[in-house]
Amino acid sequence: MKISKKLYSYYLIWPALLIYSIFFVIPAITGLYYSFTDWRLDRESIIFIGWDNFERIFSDKTLLLALKNTFIFAVVTVIGKNLLGIALAVALNMKLKSKNILRAIFYSPSILSVLVISIVFTPMLRSDGTINRVLDAIGLHSLNQAWLTDPSIVIWTIAAVSIWQHVGFQMAIYLAGLQSISKDYYEAATIDGAGSWRSFRSITLPLLLPAININLMLTLIGGLKVFSEVFVLTGGGPGNASQVVGTIILRSFGEGSWGLGTAVNTLLFAVVTIIAIPLLIFMRRKEVSE
Amino acid sequence: MNDKMKKIATGILASVMTVSLAACGSGNTNSENASATDTGNNISGSKVTIELAISKSSQDSAFVAQDLLDEFEQKTNIKVNLQLIPAEQTATVLQTKLAVNETPDIIQYNLASATTDLNLERNFEILDNEPWVSRLLNKDVLSAYGHVYSFHVSQDTGMQGVVYNKDIFKDLGLTIPNNFEEFLAVCEKIKASGITPVFMPFKDAWAANIWPAAAFADYAAKHEPTIFDDINTGRKKWSDIPEFETFLQQQYDVYEKGYTNTDILSDSYDMAVGKFLEKEVAMMFMGDWLIENVSEKDPNMHLGLFAIPSSEDASLGGSPLGGQLFIPKKAKHMDEAKKFLDFIAIKEVAQKMVDDQGYVSNFSDVTTPELPEYKQEILDQYITPKKTILTTDAYMIVDRSELYRLLQDEFTGGLDPQGVLNAWDEKFSQLMKDKGVEGF
């Protein structure tokens, strides 16, 4: 009787599980299989080729560059979005008259489409664009750059644009975290003679850890899966300078190498999993220990 | 009461099932009858519907004008059903249809792209023996691998070279350059007048391919006609031909000598019309479609086209971009599809299409109408004296986007011409291997 009651509660999960299986689990498993094949639409048959696609990924300079760019983008955006997000949240958690307006202003870019951001930033980032003109006007000629066409800095520029766009979203999560911290802690710390920095380090940061964990995971997974920012701002160019794993997958499919594209996708899935899960476990432990 | 209800419900259910079974039976009979009638009619020449697949971006194509389709249907009792495919998915949708044997009877596509995207040899019918072929003036624009694979009444679509502003040339007393040195001299004079000689919109990587695509093909036709066969069978590499390196260097020299817009990697093709309208630039390596685009905005602009001056007396590049008609080998209505081409090739029908569209006729018995000035010049100076050459793209059977990116990389300073060719050799070899081409 008990068992049947327990089973009954699982019946409710079945529809969701079924849909999830059809649209995610089965495609993921078939994708894994196809990443070991030479799948191309212009071939009569699909042949199992073992690790060939993966060997090719690690011997292709462009694919390796794409991996490198993906990691640069992920690291830069994780650091940038979270440091700035915390800073903005702390600043806008203070008693300011304009804090609600400022919160809305900082959050607003994150609701815009990447396409709109691209349309706004592309002319601004030209050699003769607004950003360089402003730099010239304030005497910082040495900082003048070909932001989107210099291969050595293009991925950093795209990361900066992404930070600008999404930092408001991270700020909102940190704000929610900050507001859940009781003011009593700060009052006690003030009585004990702690300064702002000491309060931040000993009270805010530890109690903000759940929010930090969420934001770190979101920005890390988002950073490793980057596609749209690169696609709309540079298309992976100039040349292949800003290719990331996401654009390489698109390129592989465009070239008709569907098996290779699927293999790159599988690799991306593995990389995200290998990095994200241990990090999540580590951060959770820290959270508990605090 | 419950039992009563059950009985009533069973009765209703039984009635419904009986009625529906009867309806099914009736339906079957009807459809059988209809089928029999259809078959009977087919034997006696009943209506057949053929499917014509076309990208949504080409929905204004002359081949699918309603009056043409109506006339065809009226005369042959063959109906043409259009399959409009979203522009950005055309290649993928057609690849899928061909792969799963859901082939349309006719496809409108670009010949050069069909060779790379749609596996022309495997998927499409050779049309060498069709009755209209003997009347063609220029088989080349419809051919690949030595066979006629496509159909069009025009031979002038997609000519590529240097688009130039005739008024600027006239004002500065310039003549069309016949080789690279003369071209540089022309650039120098234009630059001295304060106008940007050449507009390079290389943010769009494909735009960097106009110069080499014509120059490579011109060199091959004049000096080594078997180059592309050798390259496509793995006997030669792109980097084995020193002249190819020279042509890439030439284009880079034009930029390095300061004859272009400064921010070539930020400027895109969609800025070109404005640049010409504002007379900010005098020339651009592009196709004649740019002239059409500019003329639409300002009919008083006098633009012309001359061959890429990569070597002495070069031919004008030709890429059949207008969209030709192809018949898949697995077309369900092969004969009817061929009848559609035969119908358009009828002298009167082709003449009307050529007149309406301002085409340069590709049929010996169809007269080319009065053309816009620039088109007439192209006809007189290049097409009639047979000084056109299919651009290199027509000979490459793999996706070319990586080549375009490598060309773009030359202008970031990341690769020199030799580096571009070496990297393309590597990629080309891999792509050919992927396609299962022998020799790779």
Side-chain angles (χ1 to χ4, degrees):
Chain A
M1 189 65 181
K2 270 185 179 178
I3 293 169
S4 65
K5 265 193 176 176
K6 270 188 179 176
L7 282 177
Y8 181 78
S9 61
Y10 285 103
Y11 295 164
L12 297 171
I13 304 173
W14 287 8
L17 201 64
L18 187 71
I19 292 168
Y20 183 72
S21 301
I22 291 170
F23 291 106
F24 180 75
V25 179
I26 294 170
I29 292 168
T30 47
L32 182 67
Y33 166 73
Y34 283 122
S35 66
F36 292 98
T37 68
D38 70 342
W39 184 27
R40 291 181 61 86
L41 269 181
D42 57 5
R43 289 264 177 97
E44 295 283 355
S45 56
I46 299 171
I47 299 164
F48 186 82
I49 54 169
W51 293 96
D52 283 9
N53 284 329
F54 294 93
E55 281 173 24
R56 187 167 151 193
I57 291 169
F58 288 105
S59 60
D60 185 321
K61 286 176 201 158
T62 311
L63 287 165
L64 290 175
L65 174 67
L67 274 172
K68 184 183 148 195
N69 281 338
T70 306
F71 282 113
I72 291 175
F73 183 90
V75 171
V76 171
T77 51
V78 165
I79 295 170
K81 286 176 186 175
N82 288 290
L83 285 184
L84 284 172
I86 290 175
L88 280 173
V90 170
L92 297 181
N93 200 35
M94 291 175 187
K95 286 176 184 167
L96 294 171
K97 273 189 179 173
S98 55
K99 69 178 180 188
N100 285 337
I101 293 172
L102 286 172
R103 283 175 188 175
I105 289 171
F106 282 111
Y107 183 76
S108 56
S110 62
I111 58 169
L112 293 175
S113 148
V114 182
L115 205 63
V116 174
I117 302 294
S118 158
I119 292 165
V120 172
F121 271 92
T122 306
M124 283 172 68
L125 291 164
R126 288 171 56 91
S127 298
D128 56 356
T130 320
I131 290 173
N132 279 344
R133 283 186 194 175
V134 170
L135 289 172
D136 286 344
I138 58 174
L140 296 171
H141 306 288
S142 56
L143 293 180
N144 203 314
Q145 302 285 340
W147 301 101
L148 287 176
T149 54
D150 181 343
S152 62
I153 61 164
V154 61
I155 193 68
W156 299 82
T157 308
I158 298 169
V161 173
S162 179
I163 291 169
W164 175 86
Q165 186 186 1
H166 296 291
V167 71
F169 181 74
Q170 263 64 54
M171 176 199 73
I173 296 175
Y174 286 126
L175 266 173
L178 285 175
Q179 283 164 11
S180 69
I181 302 171
S182 167
K183 285 175 184 168
D184 297 348
Y185 295 117
Y186 295 104
E187 282 165 9
T190 311
I191 292 164
D192 288 345
S196 310
W197 171 244
R198 178 74 190 183
S199 293
F200 176 75
R201 199 164 60 88
S202 303
I203 301 168
T204 311
L205 268 185
L207 294 176
L208 202 57
L209 262 179
I212 293 174
N213 290 349
I214 290 168
N215 268 337
L216 275 183
M217 291 310 297
L218 286 177
T219 50
L220 180 72
I221 293 172
L224 290 171
K225 284 169 62 187
V226 57
F227 170 73
S228 48
E229 289 93 333
V230 176
F231 185 70
V232 296
L233 277 168
T234 64
N240 283 312
S242 60
Q243 294 280 11
V244 288
V245 175
T247 54
I248 286 290
I249 291 169
L250 181 76
R251 188 191 75 166
S252 301
F253 277 80
E255 284 170 359
S257 304
W258 291 35
L260 179 68
T262 317
V264 182
N265 202 15
T266 303
L267 183 73
L268 178 64
F269 177 77
V271 168
V272 172
T273 310
I274 289 166
I275 295 174
I277 290 179
L279 183 74
L280 184 68
I281 293 168
F282 173 75
M283 295 300 290
R284 280 271 162 84
R285 279 186 189 155
K286 292 286 283 181
E287 206 177 305
V288 171
S289 69
E290 293 291 338
Chain B
M1 191 68 179
N2 272 347
D3 280 352
K4 247 187 181 178
M5 284 296 286
K6 272 182 188 171
K7 276 179 187 170
I8 291 167
T10 312
I12 291 170
L13 194 66
S15 312
V16 168
M17 284 177 75
T18 312
V19 170
S20 57
L21 278 172
C24 285
S26 159
N28 279 342
T29 314
N30 281 345
S31 59
E32 272 166 25
N33 286 344
S35 169
T37 314
D38 277 354
T39 317
N41 281 347
N42 277 342
I43 293 164
S44 59
S46 117
K47 188 167 284 181
V48 172
T49 300
I50 60 174
E51 301 286 337
L52 194 163
I54 185 169
S55 171
K56 209 162 185 299
S57 62
S58 304
Q59 61 184 335
D60 295 330
S61 160
F63 294 129
V64 295
Q66 198 53 54
D67 54 347
L68 179 88
L69 301 184
D70 289 345
E71 195 184 339
F72 175 63
E73 187 178 343
Q74 206 177 14
K75 293 204 168 147
T76 60
N77 212 13
I78 300 168
K79 183 177 166 56
V80 179
N81 189 26
L82 292 184
Q83 291 180 4
L84 281 178
I85 303 169
E88 65 279 10
Q89 292 165 13
T90 306
T92 315
V93 170
L94 288 177
Q95 282 172 351
T96 311
K97 280 178 179 287
L98 292 166
V100 300
N101 295 336
E102 282 296 325
T103 50
D105 299 300
I106 304 174
I107 287 172
Q108 179 171 324
Y109 209 69
N110 165 304
L111 177 64
S113 302
T115 58
T116 57
D117 303 346
L118 303 182
N119 202 337
L120 198 67
E121 279 179 300
R122 201 186 83 181
N123 289 322
F124 293 96
E125 187 77 352
I126 291 173
L127 305 172
D128 288 347
N129 298 322
E130 293 308 301
W132 43 267
V133 172
S134 60
R135 293 160 52 216
L136 287 177
L137 291 167
N138 189 351
K139 273 188 196 175
D140 288 349
V141 296
L142 303 175
S143 303
Y145 315 115
H147 293 291
V148 175
Y149 272 99
S150 60
F151 172 88
H152 206 300
V153 296
S154 169
Q155 56 170 313
D156 71 319
T157 48
M159 306 311 292
Q160 297 174 21
V162 182
V163 173
Y164 72 108
N165 184 318
K166 289 181 184 175
D167 293 334
I168 294 176
F169 268 56
K170 196 176 167 189
D171 292 347
L172 299 174
L174 302 171
T175 52
I176 291 172
N178 200 34
N179 56 45
F180 189 60
E181 287 68 34
E182 287 180 18
F183 181 73
L184 291 180
V186 163
C187 286
E188 188 57 43
K189 283 184 182 165
I190 296 171
K191 190 184 175 188
S193 75
I195 297 169
T196 302
V198 180
F199 181 58
M200 287 187 175
F202 289 177
K203 183 185 179 187
D204 294 316
W206 62 268
N209 187 50
I210 301 290
W211 180 290
F216 288 8
D218 180 60
Y219 171 79
K222 284 176 182 162
H223 303 283
E224 293 183 62
T226 61
I227 278 182
F228 297 120
D229 279 344
D230 291 344
I231 287 175
N232 285 332
T233 48
R235 290 194 295 268
K236 255 188 184 166
K237 289 183 171 181
W238 294 87
S239 56
D240 288 341
I241 301 121
E243 286 76 9
F244 285 3
E245 195 184 330
T246 307
F247 299 142
L248 295 185
Q249 186 61 48
Q250 286 175 341
Q251 182 165 242
Y252 188 71
D253 284 348
V254 176
Y255 163 69
E256 205 183 35
K257 287 177 188 293
Y259 296 143
T260 67
N261 40 319
T262 48
D263 215 356
I264 62 167
L265 293 172
S266 293
D267 292 341
S268 51
Y269 174 74
D270 54 19
M271 300 162 74
V273 171
K275 294 277 178 190
F276 273 93
L277 289 173
E278 295 298 319
K279 299 193 173 91
E280 286 179 39
V281 297
M283 296 183 284
M284 182 171 164
F285 313 143
M286 196 39 64
D288 57 0
W289 56 85
L290 172 65
I291 304 178
E292 274 182 62
N293 294 344
V294 173
S295 297
E296 279 168 17
K297 300 269 181 192
D298 182 358
N300 296 319
M301 287 290 292
H302 297 106
L303 303 186
L305 186 74
F306 61 83
I308 297 288
S310 53
S311 57
E312 201 74 35
D313 206 22
S315 297
L316 192 67
S319 177
L321 291 174
Q324 294 77 28
L325 298 181
F326 298 82
I327 301 180
K329 277 183 181 167
K330 291 177 181 168
K332 291 176 191 75
H333 302 102
M334 177 69 75
D335 291 341
E336 287 80 1
K338 286 184 175 175
K339 274 184 191 167
F340 184 62
L341 305 192
D342 292 344
F343 171 74
I344 299 174
I346 293 170
K347 188 183 167 188
E348 292 73 26
V349 178
Q351 184 68 64
K352 186 173 183 306
M353 190 178 282
V354 163
D355 290 346
D356 289 349
Q357 302 292 323
Y359 286 146
V360 176
S361 167
N362 201 10
F363 286 124
S364 51
D365 51 357
V366 173
T367 316
T368 298
E370 191 179 337
L371 299 170
E373 188 186 316
Y374 79 89
K375 224 175 209 185
Q376 187 62 48
E377 283 175 4
I378 293 172
L379 182 67
D380 295 341
Q381 292 165 17
Y382 296 102
I383 295 174
T384 306
K386 293 199 179 296
K387 278 184 65 182
T388 61
I389 181 74
L390 274 184
T391 59
T392 311
D393 290 356
Y395 302 97
M396 276 193 263
I397 58 169
V398 292
D399 183 89
R400 302 177 293 278
S401 46
E402 182 66 9
L403 171 64
Y404 302 163
R405 279 191 282 267
L406 293 169
L407 292 171
Q408 201 184 37
D409 219 3
E410 189 187 352
F411 291 88
T412 67
L415 290 170
D416 60 11
Q418 186 64 41
V420 170
L421 293 170
N422 287 337
W424 177 234
D425 271 333
E426 206 175 307
K427 184 72 186 181
F428 182 77
S429 172
Q430 187 63 58
L431 291 171
M432 292 294 267
K433 203 170 159 185
D434 288 345
K435 280 183 90 78
V437 179
E438 279 181 35
F440 291 90

